[in-house]
Amino acid sequence: QVELAESGGGSVQAGGSLSLSCSASGHTGGNPCMGWFRQAPGKEREWVAVMNTGSRATHYADSVKGRFTASRDGARNAVFLQMNSLTPEDTAVYYCATFNYYSDYDVCGREYTFWGQGTQVTVSS
């Protein structure tokens, strides 16, 4: 069981930046895949970024590529999401999550397995 706790959400004007943090505790079972997904009101969940914290291979959804950057701090078992050039379309609850792991290929999938309580990000125009 993994416990995840996000922090750092808030409100910002379009074009601004926010940084999210996530601390992880518990037993990951050797799964190195962590990242973020979001859910906007009335919309389906959308994965945002997934990182293999071992190889550091990181993938981003097209909607955030070039604007968002995921990173990790292995010593603190934490992952971060730096969000720049925010637009109102980025308004959502952001969740830190573990993702499924294809160990034979050392590749992360896009299915979330555990997630935190979420943190609200609001971008005004």
Side-chain angles (χ1 to χ4, degrees), residues 1 3 5 7 9 11-12 30 41 52 57 59 62 70 74 77 87 92 102 105 118:
Q1 184 77 17
E3 293 186 356
S7 61
S11 298
V12 67
N52 183 323
H59 300 276
D62 288 343
N77 211 20
T87 74
Y102 300 98
Y105 305 98

Side-chain angles (χ1 to χ4, degrees), residues 6-107:
E6 306 93 341
S7 61
S11 298
V12 67
Q13 289 191 327
S17 300
L18 282 173
S19 181
L20 305 182
S21 301
C22 171
S23 61
S25 61
H27 184 57
T28 64
N31 181 356
C33 301
M34 293 186 68
W36 302 84
F37 68 90
R38 65 187 180 185
Q39 187 164 25
K43 295 187 177 181
E44 294 186 354
R45 291 177 175 178
E46 174 191 24
W47 77 274
V48 172
V50 58
M51 171 189 294
N52 183 323
T53 57
S55 69
R56 303 208 180 194
T58 306
H59 300 276
Y60 299 93
D62 288 343
S63 58
V64 307
K65 199 172 294 183
R67 300 187 297 121
F68 289 13
T69 303
S71 60
R72 67 180 280 270
D73 182 338
R76 292 195 289 159
N77 211 20
V79 294
F80 309 95
L81 187 68
Q82 177 64 39
M83 305 183 293
N84 298 327
S85 301
L86 287 162
T87 74
E89 288 68 38
D90 295 316
T91 295
V93 177
Y94 284 71
Y95 297 86
C96 174
T98 57
F99 287 73
N100 59 322
Y101 177 51
Y102 300 98
S103 57
D104 288 351
Y105 305 98
D106 194 24
V107 167

